[in-house]
Amino acid sequence: MQEKYDPQEVERAIQARWEDTGAAHAVEDMGKPKYYCLSMFPYPSGKLHMGHVRNYTISDVLARFHAMRGFNVMQPMGWDAFGMPAENAAIQNRVPPAKWTYANIETMKSQLKRLGFAIDWDREFATCEPDYYRWEQWLFTRLFEKGIVYKRSGVVNWDPVDQTVLANEQVIDGCGWRSGAPIEKREIPMYYMRITAYADELLDGLDKLEGWPEQVRLMQRNWIGKSFGCEVAFPYDTATVGLEGVLKVFTTRPDTLMGATYVAVAAEHPLAARAAAVDPALREFIGECKRGGVAEADMATVEKKGLPTGFFVRHPLNGEKLPVWVANYVLMAYGEGAVMAVPAHDERDFAFAEKYGIEIRTVIASRTGVYTEAVAPWIPAYAEHGVCVNSGKYDGLGFEDACDAIAADLATKGLGERRTQFRLRDWGISRQRYWGCPIPIVHCETCGDVPVPDEQLPVVLPENVEVTGSGSPLARMPEFYECACPKCGKPARRETDTMDTFVESSWYFLRYCCPDNGGAMVDDRVAHWCEGGIDQYVGGIEHAILHLLYSRFWTKLMRDIGLFGDFRLDEPFAHLLTQGMVVAPTFYRKMPDGKTEWINPSDVNLECDARGRPVAAKRLSDGQPVCIGGIEKMSKSRNNGVDPQTLIDKYGADTARLFVMFASAPDQSLEWSDAGVEGAYRFLKRLWRVVHEHVSKGRILAYSGGAITQELKEFRHQLHQTIGKVADDYGRRKQFNTAIAAVMELLNACARINDDGKTARAVRQEALEAAILMLYPIVPHICETLFIEIRPGKTSGCLSFPDIDTAALARDEIELVLQVNGKLRGYLRVPASADKSAIEEAAVSTEVAQRYLNGKPPRKLIVVPGRLVNIVPQAFST
RNA sequence: GCGAGAGUGGCGGAACUGGUAGACGCACUGGAUUUAGGUUCCAGCGCCGCAAGGCGUGGGGGUUCGAGUCCCUUCUCUCGCACCA
């Protein structure tokens, strides 16, 4: 055995061995339980970043642990290859998106291999390959025929200078990122997927996803946003609006209807347009509302503004005239694009009414309060449920009763009814971009929108293309869009929009089961690997809503098209682990021109005071001081990213893996630290040295029974307790930092045993074997190497997780914590078999207890079995 | 603005079901080994205090024999908001 730990050599040799034996290759095996371990596939952006290293290490740890536990593990990998960055690179470097993408894939694949992940590369594919996206196009045509895909107009960000549609990300402070021109909202025809038809199933399904974090389920629930309420129609006529009709709104608070003092419509609402036709000021205001982007976050933070239309509608119950306003806080995309406003009981309506001097009428009172006209409005914008007041026949009714009574009266008049409303909107999938999956539709003047027939699929995206950043490249390529109508054969025009890249990522995990099937989208291997759902899905918390919701939706679509045969798959992901982000310190300098220069942490040396507090920082390359900024998410803009490759080159893959697993729990943010990496490396060196020292003293079999000293008995107790804890941390808790800490503690305890007798050496053999196996999922290269050294006979492919010796866990005596008034005052040793009264007796008779009791019996005695005794003396009162 | 999280020593974090706050690691201090630097090993290390003891989990309040953990309130930070992936 080598005396010195050489990670580069160890990792090269072990990886060659894995490659030779096909260790990560997964085949369907009915003899073992399967474990499908899935990571969110990467976008091939260039090279791996720390977030990738973290994500795929978490998955690899779980995959390897389950393999050690006897599962047949499948861990695939692929590439989410379509997307905007490839087009941006094309514009910047004049390199075709396909070429750029494939080059990035090569780089990142070799980096993933260098990290030693047990990935079955035979299942690899990139979503930009026609063999993949043809099935997406195929399913699209089926969904189009079913009416799940439909066409209507949608609002996009329009850059009037570049004459192009921009993503929200490309709109900065309301202006185009390249042109700098103010962005406008523009309506264009788009294809949508009817996800709202599955809203109820998507909502109810969340209750069954017990393997998901509650946080994610809650976010999805709120996103779908099912609310119960009432549709209310406010009639208008020729006298007030110039034509007859009703203005429909949806409200979750029909009980406040008697307090409605105006109605507000979105700028895009037909009534707003009608009023604007004769009102220049209103036209100007609607124009103002159209400026800026479509991102909801921006729209929700703008100042609430509005203008009266001059129109009036009738209150559906009392016939009162209510003014119609146009307001920028009403969203056309939600509900009816109009709201009834009850300023007394809604915060936003209240602010709006105050600003424009509209009446505020209190109609709900707190149950505990006594409402009188004299004190009204006694609670402005009181938004809680309460009792109706000032509401005529509804006075005195509670929320439910009032809703029922008002809904019934509305229904009688034909002016409203109870219904539910979802916040969820249909999914617009059309993108006016090049680097995406072509939408398989042909527009024919006589036949309309015709789906491309199966035999003409895939509609292949041409790869020799010029990307300029202005307009859609495909729309400039007659050789792409000129075609014959599949129905009538006349000249027709092919759709030039591509699909949202979320479509590709909504089903890739099913294709991993059968990537080689050239004749079908999926086959019965899905039933094998996805039985009970994918066993583990690991990825960033930023995908908590959209990607995960779309994937759930697509799985249901594929199920309903009948692609799974008899196999029923309702939910794709049984267990979900959302990892936190990777953050790092930032350093900067203010430049003379007022700009900030961000300096990479790898170029900075921190100076600390005698107590280790950072006091100053200097740039290594010029020795000059730099300012210390905050801890922020690793990003290009803050130049605080740390390249995993330099880490691997210097310390090896195992140190990189150990650091990212040890620095924090997987679902929390992970802070980069050079010193922490050093610590991880030191631990591995120490592990190597300890094993080397042990092995160099000669071979010995692990302890398997026989007479033993008290010290070794205690140590074996800790050993087997640690095995239990680590297995629980990997399997149930998925908290790897504490698993590592427990093994470190075990090794610290092992080092304290100054006994080289035969029994002690056998126990040490037992402990070191177990420690190596326990660490194997995290640092597989060094552990497999060490295991071969420490137990040369065992060379077969898969290592097993160590078993617990329950006999080692038995104890004669246990230590309890002794508290007085809940404060720690001492310890109490009792026989493990002691019952409650024996413990109480022992506790009261201790010197500590007597000191606090002053000879009197305790007022209260609390015994928590196996943990503590709390004595509450007489004198103590609350 | 709305929805969801997080806040614990000098630092990363641990405390799983309301039951010993600070495991483990880093940094720092002292000592040993070493020609020296580095490495390695040993010891110390929340704050105040000579000690006894007291205080301590962003701030304020509450429930409890007992609160980092539960409730109310407040501040700060992070993620998502439908065309970034």
Side-chain angles (χ1 to χ4, degrees), chain A residues 342-364:
Chain A
V342 185
H345 305 291
D346 180 273
E347 214 177 312
R348 270 189 323 191
D349 296 346
F350 179 79
F352 195 85
E354 281 231 306
K355 183 168 177 177
Y356 293 107
I358 305 170
E359 187 194 347
I360 297 167
R361 191 184 300 170
T362 303
V363 292
I364 301 291

Side-chain angles (χ1 to χ4, degrees), chain A residues 178-329:
Chain A
R178 282 158 50 78
S179 68
I183 295 306
E184 300 161 6
K185 295 184 184 72
R186 177 178 272 211
E187 287 206 24
I188 58 165
M190 297 208 294
Y191 289 96
Y192 282 84
M193 297 197 71
R194 218 176 283 282
I195 192 171
T196 50
Y198 285 75
D200 269 314
E201 203 200 332
L202 287 166
L203 185 66
D204 296 342
L206 292 170
D207 294 333
K208 290 171 230 147
L209 292 174
E210 280 161 17
W212 284 37
E214 187 49 46
Q215 166 198 4
V216 175
R217 293 199 277 172
L218 194 55
M219 280 196 272
Q220 291 215 352
R221 233 172 250 132
N222 291 336
W223 183 263
I224 296 167
K226 187 175 190 175
S227 51
F228 301 89
C230 206
E231 191 175 276
V232 185
F234 292 79
Y236 51 83
D237 52 40
T238 42
T240 53
V241 174
L243 78 168
E244 278 192 21
V246 292
L247 177 61
K248 278 188 182 176
V249 306
F250 174 82
T251 179
T252 56
R253 293 297 304 273
D255 60 316
T256 65
L257 181 54
M258 301 311 285
T261 53
Y262 68 99
V263 292
V265 299
E268 300 87 359
H269 195 278
L271 277 191
R274 186 178 172 82
V278 292
D279 183 343
L282 201 53
R283 224 161 25 238
E284 166 63 26
F285 177 65
I286 291 172
E288 193 186 311
C289 291
K290 282 198 171 147
R291 281 197 278 279
V294 298
E296 196 186 306
D298 298 332
M299 299 183 32
T301 44
V302 295
E303 192 196 345
K304 312 277 172 287
K305 276 189 195 169
L307 272 187
T309 57
F311 293 158
F312 290 87
V313 292
R314 294 273 169 201
H315 191 286
L317 295 179
N318 64 16
E320 232 177 279
K321 262 174 89 180
L322 302 180
V324 179
W325 285 67
V326 180
N328 62 357
Y329 71 87

Side-chain angles (χ1 to χ4, degrees), chain A residues 255-580:
Chain A
D255 60 316
T256 65
L257 181 54
M258 301 311 285
T261 53
Y262 68 99
V263 292
V265 299
E268 300 87 359
H269 195 278
L271 277 191
R274 186 178 172 82
V278 292
D279 183 343
L282 201 53
R283 224 161 25 238
E284 166 63 26
F285 177 65
I286 291 172
E288 193 186 311
C289 291
K290 282 198 171 147
R291 281 197 278 279
V294 298
E296 196 186 306
D298 298 332
M299 299 183 32
T301 44
V302 295
E303 192 196 345
K304 312 277 172 287
K305 276 189 195 169
L307 272 187
T309 57
F311 293 158
F312 290 87
V313 292
R314 294 273 169 201
H315 191 286
L317 295 179
N318 64 16
E320 232 177 279
K321 262 174 89 180
L322 302 180
V324 179
W325 285 67
V326 180
N328 62 357
Y329 71 87
V330 181
L331 300 177
M332 197 59 211
Y334 184 68
E336 308 288 342
V339 296
M340 71 173 209
V342 185
H345 305 291
D346 180 273
E347 214 177 312
R348 270 189 323 191
D349 296 346
F350 179 79
F352 195 85
E354 281 231 306
K355 183 168 177 177
Y356 293 107
I358 305 170
E359 187 194 347
I360 297 167
R361 191 184 300 170
T362 303
V363 292
I364 301 291
S366 157
R367 278 191 182 277
T368 52
V370 178
Y371 176 82
T372 66
E373 280 293 330
V375 295
W378 59 315
I379 304 173
Y382 177 63
E384 310 302 314
H385 291 179
V387 186
C388 289
V389 292
N390 213 5
S391 302
K393 63 184 272 205
Y394 309 109
D395 280 358
L397 295 180
F399 174 74
E400 288 297 339
D401 293 340
C403 291
D404 286 343
I406 287 172
D409 287 349
L410 286 170
T412 309
K413 295 189 171 196
L415 291 174
E417 56 182 350
R418 270 195 177 266
R419 72 166 167 94
T420 55
Q421 168 77 32
F422 290 96
R423 206 189 74 98
L424 183 69
R425 309 199 292 257
D426 277 341
W427 175 15
I429 55 163
S430 294
R431 297 292 179 270
Q432 299 68 47
R433 269 184 263 287
Y434 158 70
W435 191 233
C437 170
I439 291 177
I441 290 282
V442 169
H443 303 288
C444 171
E445 275 190 21
T446 27
C447 309
D449 287 2
V450 182
V452 175
D454 292 0
E455 62 275 12
Q456 289 178 29
L457 291 177
V459 177
V460 177
L461 184 72
E463 295 199 348
N464 58 324
V465 77
E466 195 200 356
V467 186
T468 59
S470 156
S472 165
L474 292 180
R476 285 192 301 266
M477 295 177 76
E479 66 273 32
F480 176 76
Y481 63 73
E482 282 178 356
C483 63
C485 170
K487 247 190 196 165
C488 69
K490 281 191 239 164
R493 188 182 164 98
R494 191 181 294 289
E495 172 66 49
T496 56
D497 279 359
T498 54
M499 288 192 222
D500 182 358
T501 57
F502 270 124
V503 176
E504 283 86 62
S505 58
S506 292
W507 69 284
Y508 72 105
F509 43 88
L510 299 171
R511 187 67 184 174
Y512 279 145
C513 301
C514 48
D516 54 356
N517 192 330
M521 190 171 190
V522 289
D523 59 36
D524 55 11
R525 284 174 285 177
V526 167
H528 178 265
W529 291 111
C530 298
E531 175 65 49
I534 289 166
D535 301 273
Q536 184 68 58
Y537 195 23
V538 182
I541 182 71
E542 68 273 18
H543 294 293
I545 296 173
L546 291 179
H547 162 62
L548 290 168
L549 191 65
Y550 292 149
S551 297
R552 296 178 59 218
F553 172 49
W554 260 72
T555 302
K556 292 172 200 296
L557 291 178
M558 289 173 71
R559 174 200 67 193
D560 291 348
I561 290 279
L563 291 175
F564 304 141
D566 294 338
F567 171 59
R568 182 153 183 110
L569 184 64
D570 295 324
E571 290 290 344
F573 314 121
H575 293 271
L576 173 70
L577 194 158
T578 49
Q579 63 165 344

